[in-house]
C-alpha cells in the first residue's frame, strides 16, 4: 500500500474539488486547502492537496510538452539557469523512479516558488550515492545547492566610495519606500552623506512622496524630468557619498529602454532591478527578461513579509555579476531593510 499525494489548483474551491475527484476518485482524502496568488494581475486561486492510498504508484502522465522536456533533461540534472535555455522554469517534473521523500522535497520547493527545473536540480544535487539518502541528507544537499547559486553582495549602503544607484522595476514593487530605507541605513549604519533624486514624474504624487522622505531624513531631494535635469541634479549632489535615484515603474520594453537611456546620461550610474517576492515565478522571470537589456548591477527583493512563495526570486538572472544586494520585509524605515545573505533568505524557502 502506497500513498499518492497531489496538489490541484483552480479558480474556485468547487472546480478544485472536481479536479481532485476526476484525478484521484471519490476515495481521495483532502489534506489541506489554501488560497494562493497566481500572478501580479491575476485573481487568487484555490489550492487543494489530496492523498489516495493505492496498491501501486499512481503517477498521472504530464502533458506532451512536459514529457518532451523531461526526456531531454532526465538523463542528468538540468544545467541551465532561469533565462538560459529553459527560461520558463516549469517544464521539468519529478522522475517516476524517485522515492516519495524526493518527490515531496521537489513539491515543497516548487510550492515555495522555486522554478521547477531549479527544484529538480536541487533534489538531484542531494543524491550523491545509491540508494537514495534519507530525507534529512537529501534536504541538506538541496540546501547547499541553492546556497551555491544564491549569489549575494555586501550592502551598498556600507560602501564609503561614492555611488549613484537607481532602483528600476515594475510599478508597485516598493521602489520609493526602499530608496528611503536605503538612505536611512546609509546615514545610520554607514554614516554616509546621502542625496535623493526622483525621475518618477509620471505617477501622481511620486516625487512629492520622495521629497517628504527626504525632509524627514534631512537630506537634499531633487526632481529631474529630462537628461539635462538629471545630469544637473547629479552634479549638484556631487558632495554626497551615496545618491539614490527613484524611477517610475515600467513594464513595456520600449519604455524600459527609454528609461535606461535617461539614467545612463549620468556617468557611473548603477541600476538595480527591484522585484517583489509576492509576484509569481512566471511574472518574476518575465520581469527579469524585460530588464535584461539594462544589465542590472544587482537585485533588490521587496515584500518578503507578504510572500507565500519567495522562491520566485530564483527566477531572476542571479550571478556573481548580478547578485542579491538587499531584502525588505515590512514598511518600517529603516528597520525592515536588510543586507542580502543566503542565511537570511534560504530559510524562507527550505526551512
Amino acid at each position: 500500500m502506497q500513498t499518492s499525494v497531489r496538489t490541484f489548483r483552480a479558480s474556485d474551491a468547487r472546480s478544485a474539488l472536481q479536479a481532485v475527484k476526476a484525478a484521484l476518485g471519490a476515495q481521495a482524502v483532502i489534506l489541506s486547502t489554501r488560497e494562493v496568488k497566481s500572478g501580479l494581475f491575476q485573481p487568487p486561486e484555490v489550492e487543494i492537496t489530496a492523498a489516495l492510498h493505492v496498491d501501486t504508484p499512481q503517477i498521472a502522465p504530464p502533458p506532451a510538452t512536459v514529457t518532451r522536456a523531461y526526456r531531454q533533461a532526465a538523463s542528468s540534472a538540468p544545467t541551465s539557469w532561469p533565462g538560459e535555455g529553459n527560461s520558463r522554469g516549469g517544464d521539468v517534473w519529478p522522475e517516476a523512479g524517485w522515492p516519495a521523500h524526493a518527490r515531496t522535497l521537489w513539491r515543497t520547493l516548487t510550492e515555495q516558488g522555486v522554478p521547477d527545473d531549479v527544484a529538480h536540480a536541487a533534489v538531484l544535487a542531494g543524491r550523491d550515492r545509491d540508494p537514495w539518502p534519507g530525507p534529512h541528507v537529501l534536504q541538506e544537499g538541496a540546501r547547499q545547492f541553492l546556497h551555491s547559486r544564491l549569489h549575494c553582495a555586501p550592502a551598498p549602503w556600507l560602501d564609503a566610495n561614492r555611488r549613484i544607484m537607481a532602483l528600476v522595476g515594475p510599478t508597485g514593487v516598493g521602489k520609493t519606500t526602499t530608496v528611503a530605507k536605503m538612505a536611512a541605513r546609509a546615514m545610520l549604519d554607514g554614516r554616509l552623506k546621502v542625496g535623493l533624486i526622483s525621475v518618477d514624474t509620471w505617477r501622481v504624487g511620486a516625487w512629492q512622496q520622495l521629497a517628504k522622505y527626504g525632509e524627514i531624513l534631512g537630506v537634499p531631494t531633487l526632481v529631474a524630468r529630462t537628461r539635462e535635469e538629471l545630469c544637473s541634479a547629479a552634479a549638484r549632489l556631487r558632495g554626497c557619498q551615496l545618491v539614490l535615484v527613484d524611477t517610475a515603474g515600467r513594464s513595456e520594453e520600449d519604455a524600459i529602454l527609454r528609461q535606461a537611456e535617461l539614467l545612463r546620461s549620468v556617468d557611473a550610474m548603477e541600476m538595480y532591478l527591484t522585484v517583489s517576492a509576492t509576484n509569481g515565478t512566471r511574472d518574476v522571470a518575465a520581469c527579469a527578461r524585460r530588464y535584461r537589456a539594462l544589465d542590472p548591477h544587482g537585485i533588490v527583493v521587496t515584500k518578503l513579509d507578504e510572500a507565500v512563495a519567495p522562491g520566485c526570486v530564483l527566477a531572476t538572472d542571479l550571478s556573481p555579476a548580478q547578485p542579491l544586494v538587499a531584502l525588505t520585509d515590512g514598511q518600517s524605515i529603516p528597520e525592515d531593510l536588510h543586507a542580502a545573505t543566503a542565511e537570511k533568505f534560504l530559510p524562507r524557502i527550505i526551512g
Side-chain angles (χ1 to χ4, degrees):
M1 184 71 70
Q2 185 172 341
T3 302
S4 174
V5 180
R6 293 182 57 187
T7 300
F8 303 82
R9 285 189 184 182
S11 58
D12 54 61
R14 181 185 182 89
S15 299
L17 287 171
Q18 289 176 343
V20 171
K21 185 176 181 180
L24 301 181
Q27 301 302 315
V29 177
I30 304 301
L31 300 180
S32 66
T33 302
R34 65 171 182 162
E35 187 177 85
V36 296
K37 295 181 179 180
S38 57
L40 184 60
F41 300 109
Q42 301 297 325
E45 295 180 323
V46 174
E47 179 183 279
I48 295 178
T49 300
L52 178 66
H53 294 291
V54 294
D55 293 328
T56 56
Q58 303 259 329
I59 302 175
T65 55
V66 174
T67 303
R68 287 195 297 270
Y70 163 72
R71 287 172 179 168
Q72 294 172 359
S75 60
S76 62
T79 57
S80 64
W81 198 241
E84 303 174 1
N86 181 13
S87 60
R88 288 180 57 201
D91 286 345
V92 180
W93 283 30
E95 300 179 32
W98 285 10
H101 65 280
R103 298 174 65 82
T104 297
L105 177 57
W106 180 89
R107 184 168 57 252
T108 298
L109 293 174
T110 56
E111 287 178 349
Q112 287 297 317
V114 177
D116 292 2
D117 56 341
V118 180
H120 187 279
V123 174
L124 291 182
R127 183 190 182 187
D128 57 359
R129 61 185 182 275
D130 287 322
W132 283 77
H136 296 297
V137 174
L138 193 66
Q139 179 173 316
E140 182 57 29
R143 184 197 304 276
Q144 293 177 9
F145 174 87
L146 295 177
H147 190 287
S148 69
R149 282 154 176 77
L150 195 64
H151 302 284
C152 299
W157 55 86
L158 296 178
D159 189 348
N161 296 317
R162 187 176 190 275
R163 303 176 71 172
I164 179 165
M165 300 173 51
L167 300 192
V168 299
T171 301
V173 296
K175 295 186 295 295
T176 303
T177 305
T178 303
V179 164
K181 292 174 181 176
M182 282 192 178
R185 280 288 187 201
M187 296 172 63
L188 295 174
D189 298 347
R191 300 289 189 254
L192 303 182
K193 186 175 182 180
V194 180
L196 306 179
I197 301 175
S198 175
V199 296
D200 185 359
T201 57
W202 292 83
R203 187 164 54 94
V204 176
W207 72 265
Q208 291 93 336
Q209 179 185 4
L210 188 67
K212 186 64 177 178
Y213 284 137
E215 179 183 349
I216 295 172
L217 296 172
V219 301
T221 307
L222 306 176
V223 60
R225 298 174 178 81
T226 65
R227 296 180 59 176
E228 291 74 18
E229 290 181 356
L230 179 57
C231 291
S232 175
R236 289 174 59 185
L237 297 176
R238 65 171 63 91
C240 296
Q241 295 161 291
L242 179 62
V243 178
L244 297 166
V245 182
D246 186 28
T247 68
R250 291 288 182 264
S251 295
E252 297 180 357
E253 292 186 9
D254 289 346
I256 292 172
L257 292 176
R258 288 195 299 271
Q259 184 181 79
E261 183 180 1
L262 168 66
L263 295 172
R264 286 173 178 150
S265 63
V266 175
D267 292 338
M269 175 71 75
E270 300 177 5
M271 288 177 276
Y272 291 81
L273 177 58
T274 307
V275 298
S276 170
T278 62
N279 292 355
T281 304
R282 292 179 183 274
D283 289 323
V284 171
C287 176
R289 287 195 298 272
R290 287 193 294 267
Y291 277 87
R292 188 171 298 151
L294 273 63
D295 192 21
H297 285 70
I299 306 291
V300 176
V301 179
T302 64
K303 303 185 180 182
L304 277 170
D305 56 313
E306 303 175 21
V308 296
C312 64
V313 173
L314 295 173
T316 61
D317 299 327
L318 288 174
S319 68
Q322 186 177 293
L324 283 180
V325 298
L327 309 171
T328 77
D329 56 7
Q331 294 296 314
S332 297
I333 299 174
E335 293 83 1
D336 293 333
L337 173 71
H338 313 281
T341 64
E343 290 72 20
K344 182 175 287 292
F345 186 74
L346 279 181
R348 298 175 182 270
I349 302 174
I350 180 169

